[in-house]
Structures are given as C-alpha cells and as structure tokens.
Amino acid sequence: MSTLSTHVLDAVRGVPAAGVTVTLYQQERQLDSGETGADGRIRALGEALEAGTYRLVFDTGAYFAGQGVETFYPEVSIAFAVTGERRYHVPLLLSPFAFSTYRGS
C-alpha cells in the first residue's frame, strides 16, 4: 500500500500556505480531507492507497478570500496515478492567477 502527503506554497508571498483545505477523492468518492498547517503541509491523507487514479482538490478560493485577495481559480484539482507501493507527495505552488505542481519525493 502507498501513502500520500502534500504541501502548498504561496508563491507570491513566498511562504507556506496555511489553512488550505485539501480533499482526497477516488472516482467521485471522498476518502479524506485535511487542512494545511503553519508549514503548509498535510503529512498524511487517506489511509493506505491501492493502485488507481486519485484526485486532490485544494480549496484555493477560501484561502485567498481569507487574505482579501481575488483569485481566478476557486479550486485546484490534481489527478494522479498510484502505480506501486511507495510514498507519494503532491506539492502545489500557488498564486491568485497561476499554479504549478510536480511529483515530489
């Protein structure tokens, strides 16, 4: 079984994005949800993940609204494939009008 973690960096301010709600789905079934801490991280989402396709949804609209900042993206959805037993890490680099992600380690 595989494990999953994530973190969010506010690329405009150059700080971890604390307080972002992140929800994990497989198909349309919600598996887990959490909120990034002061370091912008969620160390574990879901339990042991089996092979398959999953999706993380980041509530970026609420995060930016809490700062009084307008954003083009009310949420960011990242689909990814779990293919084998390993630790998966899905980071999000975020600004009000752009985002980027990569497979972390």
Side-chain angles (χ1 to χ4, degrees):
M1 301 289 181
S2 297
T3 61
L4 174 67
S5 61
T6 187
H7 77 268
V8 183
L9 175 65
D10 184 324
V12 171
R13 297 179 350 170
V15 298
V20 177
T21 299
V22 183
T23 306
L24 173 65
Y25 293 90
Q26 184 178 33
Q27 310 284 330
E28 295 303 315
R29 186 172 58 114
Q30 180 178 329
L31 299 178
D32 200 2
S33 186
E35 186 174 283
T36 57
D39 61 356
R41 295 182 180 274
I42 298 176
R43 300 201 185 285
L45 271 172
E47 295 184 15
L49 303 179
E50 298 178 356
T53 301
Y54 295 84
R55 182 169 43 99
L56 286 175
V57 177
F58 298 79
D59 187 359
T60 54
Y63 170 73
F64 284 118
Q67 297 177 39
V69 174
E70 181 181 340
T71 182
F72 183 68
Y73 298 104
E75 70 178 31
V76 172
S77 179
I78 301 170
F80 60 98
V82 170
T83 58
E85 291 187 24
R86 63 178 291 168
R87 179 176 173 256
Y88 287 85
H89 184 69
V90 181
L92 178 66
L93 305 174
L94 181 62
S95 82
F97 302 103
F99 64 89
S100 178
T101 187
Y102 56 93
R103 187 180 85 180
S105 58

